[in-house]
Coordinates of all heavy atoms in Angstrom, one line a residue:
D28 N -10.7 -11.6 -5.3 CA -10.6 -12.7 -6.2 C -11.7 -12.7 -7.2 O -12.7 -11.9 -7.0 CB -10.6 -14.0 -5.4 CG -9.4 -14.2 -4.5 OD1 -8.4 -13.5 -4.7 OD2 -9.5 -15.0 -3.5
Y29 N -11.7 -13.5 -8.2 CA -12.7 -13.4 -9.2 C -12.9 -14.7 -10.0 O -12.0 -15.6 -10.0 CB -12.4 -12.2 -10.2 CG -11.1 -12.3 -11.0 CD1 -11.0 -13.0 -12.2 CD2 -10.0 -11.7 -10.5 CE1 -9.9 -13.1 -12.9 CE2 -8.8 -11.7 -11.3 CZ -8.7 -12.4 -12.5 OH -7.6 -12.5 -13.2
M30 N -14.0 -14.7 -10.8 CA -14.1 -15.7 -11.8 C -14.4 -15.0 -13.1 O -14.9 -13.9 -13.2 CB -15.3 -16.7 -11.5 CG -16.6 -16.1 -11.5 SD -17.9 -17.4 -11.2 CE -19.4 -16.4 -11.1
T31 N -13.9 -15.6 -14.2 CA -14.0 -14.9 -15.5 C -14.0 -15.9 -16.6 O -13.5 -17.0 -16.5 CB -12.9 -13.9 -15.7 OG1 -13.2 -13.1 -16.8 CG2 -11.6 -14.6 -15.9
S32 N -14.7 -15.5 -17.7 CA -14.5 -16.3 -19.0 C -13.1 -16.0 -19.5 O -12.5 -15.0 -19.2 CB -15.5 -15.8 -20.0 OG -15.5 -14.4 -20.3
V33 N -12.5 -17.0 -20.2 CA -11.1 -16.9 -20.6 C -11.0 -16.8 -22.1 O -11.5 -17.7 -22.8 CB -10.4 -18.2 -20.1 CG1 -8.9 -18.0 -20.4 CG2 -10.6 -18.4 -18.6
Q34 N -10.4 -15.7 -22.5 CA -10.2 -15.5 -23.9 C -8.9 -16.0 -24.4 O -7.9 -15.8 -23.7 CB -10.3 -14.0 -24.3 CG -11.7 -13.4 -24.0 CD -11.8 -11.9 -24.4 OE1 -11.0 -11.5 -25.2 NE2 -12.7 -11.2 -23.8
D35 N -8.9 -16.6 -25.6 CA -7.6 -17.1 -26.2 C -6.8 -15.8 -26.5 O -7.2 -14.9 -27.2 CB -7.9 -17.8 -27.5 CG -6.7 -18.5 -28.1 OD1 -5.6 -18.3 -27.6 OD2 -6.8 -19.2 -29.0
G36 N -5.6 -15.8 -25.9 CA -4.7 -14.6 -26.0 C -5.0 -13.5 -25.1 O -4.3 -12.5 -25.1
G37 N -6.0 -13.7 -24.2 CA -6.3 -12.6 -23.3 C -5.3 -12.4 -22.2 O -4.6 -13.3 -21.7
F38 N -5.1 -11.1 -21.8 CA -4.2 -10.7 -20.7 C -5.0 -10.1 -19.6 O -5.8 -9.1 -19.9 CB -3.1 -9.8 -21.2 CG -2.2 -9.2 -20.2 CD1 -1.3 -10.1 -19.5 CD2 -2.3 -7.9 -19.8 CE1 -0.5 -9.6 -18.5 CE2 -1.5 -7.4 -18.8 CZ -0.6 -8.2 -18.1
Y39 N -4.8 -10.5 -18.4 CA -5.7 -10.1 -17.3 C -5.0 -9.3 -16.2 O -5.6 -9.1 -15.1 CB -6.4 -11.3 -16.7 CG -7.4 -12.0 -17.6 CD1 -6.9 -12.9 -18.6 CD2 -8.7 -11.7 -17.6 CE1 -7.8 -13.4 -19.6 CE2 -9.6 -12.2 -18.6 CZ -9.1 -13.1 -19.5 OH -10.0 -13.7 -20.4
G40 N -3.8 -8.8 -16.5 CA -3.3 -7.7 -15.7 C -2.0 -8.1 -14.9 O -1.2 -7.2 -14.6
W41 N -2.0 -9.3 -14.3 CA -0.9 -9.6 -13.3 C 0.4 -9.6 -14.0 O 0.5 -10.1 -15.1 CB -1.2 -11.0 -12.7 CG -0.2 -11.2 -11.6 CD1 -0.4 -11.0 -10.3 CD2 1.1 -11.8 -11.7 NE1 0.8 -11.3 -9.5 CE2 1.7 -11.9 -10.4 CE3 1.8 -12.3 -12.8 CZ2 2.9 -12.4 -10.2 CZ3 3.1 -12.8 -12.5 CH2 3.6 -12.9 -11.2
P42 N 1.5 -9.1 -13.4 CA 1.5 -8.4 -12.1 C 1.3 -6.9 -12.1 O 1.2 -6.2 -11.1 CB 2.9 -8.7 -11.6 CG 3.7 -8.6 -12.8 CD 2.8 -9.2 -13.9
Y43 N 1.1 -6.3 -13.3 CA 1.2 -4.9 -13.5 C 0.0 -4.2 -13.1 O 0.0 -3.0 -12.7 CB 1.6 -4.6 -15.0 CG 2.8 -5.3 -15.4 CD1 2.7 -6.4 -16.3 CD2 4.1 -4.9 -15.0 CE1 3.9 -7.0 -16.7 CE2 5.2 -5.5 -15.4 CZ 5.1 -6.6 -16.2 OH 6.2 -7.3 -16.6
S44 N -1.2 -4.8 -13.1 CA -2.4 -4.2 -12.7 C -3.4 -5.2 -12.2 O -3.2 -6.4 -12.3 CB -3.1 -3.4 -13.9 OG -3.5 -4.3 -14.9
Y45 N -4.4 -4.7 -11.5 CA -5.4 -5.6 -11.0 C -6.8 -5.1 -11.4 O -7.0 -3.9 -11.6 CB -5.4 -5.8 -9.4 CG -5.5 -4.5 -8.7 CD1 -6.7 -3.9 -8.3 CD2 -4.3 -3.8 -8.3 CE1 -6.8 -2.8 -7.6 CE2 -4.4 -2.6 -7.5 CZ -5.6 -2.1 -7.2 OH -5.7 -0.9 -6.5
Y46 N -7.7 -6.0 -11.5 CA -9.1 -5.8 -12.0 C -9.1 -4.8 -13.1 O -9.7 -3.8 -13.1 CB -10.0 -5.3 -10.8 CG -11.2 -6.1 -10.8 CD1 -11.3 -7.4 -10.2 CD2 -12.4 -5.7 -11.5 CE1 -12.4 -8.2 -10.3 CE2 -13.5 -6.5 -11.6 CZ -13.5 -7.7 -10.9 OH -14.6 -8.5 -11.0
G47 N -8.4 -5.2 -14.2 CA -8.3 -4.4 -15.4 C -7.3 -3.4 -15.3 O -6.1 -3.6 -15.1
P48 N -7.7 -2.1 -15.3 CA -6.7 -1.0 -15.5 C -6.2 -0.4 -14.2 O -5.7 0.8 -14.3 CB -7.5 0.0 -16.3 CG -8.9 -0.1 -15.8 CD -9.1 -1.6 -15.5
H49 N -6.2 -1.1 -13.1 CA -5.7 -0.5 -11.9 C -4.2 -0.8 -11.6 O -4.0 -2.0 -11.2 CB -6.6 -0.9 -10.7 CG -8.0 -0.5 -10.8 ND1 -8.9 -1.3 -11.6 CD2 -8.7 0.5 -10.4 CE1 -10.1 -0.7 -11.5 NE2 -10.0 0.4 -10.8
P50 N -3.3 0.1 -11.9 CA -1.9 -0.3 -11.7 C -1.5 -0.6 -10.3 O -2.0 -0.1 -9.3 CB -1.2 1.0 -12.2 CG -2.2 1.8 -12.9 CD -3.5 1.5 -12.3
D51 N -0.6 -1.5 -10.2 CA 0.0 -1.9 -8.9 C 1.4 -1.2 -8.8 O 2.3 -1.6 -9.5 CB 0.2 -3.4 -8.7 CG 0.6 -3.8 -7.3 OD1 1.2 -3.0 -6.6 OD2 0.2 -4.9 -6.9
A52 N 1.5 -0.1 -8.0 CA 2.7 0.7 -8.0 C 3.9 0.0 -7.4 O 5.0 0.5 -7.6 CB 2.4 2.0 -7.1
R53 N 3.7 -1.1 -6.8 CA 4.8 -1.9 -6.2 C 5.6 -2.6 -7.3 O 6.8 -3.0 -7.0 CB 4.3 -2.9 -5.2 CG 3.5 -2.4 -4.0 CD 2.9 -3.5 -3.2 NE 1.9 -4.2 -4.0 CZ 1.3 -5.3 -3.6 NH1 1.6 -5.8 -2.4 NH2 0.4 -6.0 -4.3
V54 N 5.1 -2.8 -8.4 CA 5.7 -3.6 -9.5 C 6.7 -2.7 -10.3 O 6.3 -1.7 -10.8 CB 4.7 -4.3 -10.4 CG1 5.4 -5.1 -11.5 CG2 3.7 -5.1 -9.6
K55 N 7.9 -3.2 -10.3 CA 9.0 -2.5 -11.1 C 9.6 -3.4 -12.1 O 10.0 -4.5 -11.8 CB 10.0 -1.9 -10.1 CG 9.5 -1.1 -9.0 CD 8.8 0.2 -9.5 CE 8.3 1.0 -8.3 NZ 7.6 2.2 -8.7
P56 N 9.8 -3.0 -13.4 CA 9.3 -1.7 -13.9 C 7.9 -1.7 -14.2 O 7.3 -2.8 -14.3 CB 10.2 -1.5 -15.2 CG 10.3 -2.9 -15.6 CD 10.5 -3.7 -14.4
Q57 N 7.3 -0.5 -14.3 CA 5.9 -0.4 -14.7 C 5.7 -0.7 -16.2 O 6.6 -0.5 -16.9 CB 5.3 1.0 -14.4 CG 5.3 1.3 -12.9 CD 4.0 0.7 -12.2 OE1 2.9 1.2 -12.4 NE2 4.2 -0.3 -11.4
R58 N 4.5 -1.2 -16.5 CA 4.3 -1.5 -17.9 C 2.9 -1.0 -18.3 O 1.9 -1.7 -18.4 CB 4.3 -3.0 -18.2 CG 5.7 -3.7 -18.1 CD 6.6 -3.2 -19.3 NE 5.9 -3.5 -20.6 CZ 6.1 -4.7 -21.2 NH1 6.9 -5.6 -20.7 NH2 5.5 -4.9 -22.4
P59 N 2.8 0.3 -18.6 CA 1.5 0.9 -18.9 C 1.0 0.4 -20.2 O -0.3 0.4 -20.4 CB 1.8 2.4 -19.0 CG 3.3 2.5 -19.2 CD 3.9 1.4 -18.4
D60 N 1.8 -0.1 -21.1 CA 1.3 -0.7 -22.4 C 0.5 -2.0 -22.1 O -0.5 -2.2 -22.7 CB 2.5 -1.0 -23.3 CG 3.6 -1.9 -22.6 OD1 3.8 -1.8 -21.4 OD2 4.2 -2.7 -23.4
L61 N 1.0 -2.8 -21.1 CA 0.3 -4.0 -20.8 C -1.0 -3.7 -19.9 O -2.0 -4.3 -20.1 CB 1.2 -5.0 -20.1 CG 2.3 -5.6 -20.9 CD1 3.1 -6.5 -20.1 CD2 1.7 -6.3 -22.1
V62 N -0.9 -2.7 -19.1 CA -2.1 -2.3 -18.3 C -3.2 -1.9 -19.2 O -4.4 -2.2 -19.0 CB -1.7 -1.2 -17.3 CG1 -2.9 -0.6 -16.6 CG2 -0.7 -1.6 -16.3
A63 N -2.9 -1.2 -20.3 CA -3.9 -0.8 -21.2 C -4.6 -1.9 -21.9 O -5.7 -1.8 -22.4 CB -3.3 0.2 -22.3
K64 N -3.9 -3.1 -22.0 CA -4.5 -4.3 -22.6 C -5.3 -5.2 -21.6 O -5.9 -6.1 -22.1 CB -3.4 -5.1 -23.2 CG -2.7 -4.5 -24.4 CD -1.4 -5.3 -24.8 CE -1.8 -6.8 -25.0 NZ -0.6 -7.6 -25.4
A65 N -5.1 -4.9 -20.3 CA -5.7 -5.8 -19.3 C -7.2 -5.9 -19.4 O -7.9 -4.9 -19.4 CB -5.2 -5.4 -17.9
L66 N -7.7 -7.1 -19.5 CA -9.1 -7.4 -19.5 C -9.7 -7.3 -18.1 O -9.1 -7.7 -17.1 CB -9.4 -8.8 -20.1 CG -9.0 -9.0 -21.6 CD1 -9.1 -10.4 -22.0 CD2 -9.7 -8.1 -22.5
V67 N -10.9 -6.8 -18.0 CA -11.6 -6.7 -16.7 C -12.3 -8.0 -16.5 O -13.0 -8.5 -17.4 CB -12.6 -5.6 -16.7 CG1 -13.4 -5.5 -15.4 CG2 -11.9 -4.2 -17.0
P68 N -12.1 -8.7 -15.3 CA -12.8 -10.0 -15.1 C -14.3 -9.8 -15.1 O -14.8 -8.7 -14.9 CB -12.3 -10.3 -13.7 CG -11.0 -9.6 -13.5 CD -11.2 -8.3 -14.3
D69 N -15.0 -10.9 -15.2 CA -16.4 -10.9 -15.3 C -17.1 -10.7 -14.0 O -18.2 -10.0 -13.9 CB -17.0 -12.1 -16.0 CG -16.6 -12.2 -17.5 OD1 -17.2 -11.3 -18.2 OD2 -15.9 -13.1 -17.9
Y70 N -16.6 -11.3 -12.9 CA -17.3 -11.3 -11.7 C -16.4 -11.5 -10.5 O -15.6 -12.4 -10.4 CB -18.3 -12.5 -11.7 CG -19.4 -12.4 -10.6 CD1 -20.7 -11.8 -10.9 CD2 -19.2 -12.9 -9.3 CE1 -21.7 -11.7 -10.0 CE2 -20.2 -12.8 -8.4 CZ -21.5 -12.2 -8.7 OH -22.5 -12.1 -7.8
A71 N -16.4 -10.5 -9.6 CA -15.5 -10.5 -8.4 C -16.1 -11.4 -7.3 O -17.4 -11.5 -7.2 CB -15.4 -9.1 -7.8
L72 N -15.2 -12.0 -6.5 CA -15.7 -13.0 -5.5 C -15.2 -12.7 -4.1 O -15.0 -13.5 -3.3 CB -15.2 -14.4 -5.9 CG -15.8 -15.0 -7.2 CD1 -15.1 -16.2 -7.6 CD2 -17.3 -15.3 -6.9

């Protein structure tokens, strides 16, 4: 889990990836285009 500052228009990965660019292989279909946009959270909890 994490806390993060929130950017207007920001995309944080779910469901296609977690903690930024780490893809979740369980999700179908995959969306590498969105994974590439995923912001890394500021602080893990």
Side-chain angles (χ1 to χ4, degrees):
D28 295 342
Y29 60 85
M30 65 176 178
T31 191
S32 56
V33 185
Q34 297 183 21
D35 189 353
F38 174 71
Y39 293 83
W41 188 90
Y43 305 105
S44 67
Y45 58 87
Y46 229 82
H49 298 85
D51 191 330
R53 300 172 297 172
V54 181
K55 305 297 180 184
Q57 293 279 289
R58 289 292 304 270
D60 56 325
L61 292 180
V62 172
K64 293 172 52 178
L66 298 172
V67 179
D69 288 296
Y70 197 94
L72 292 169

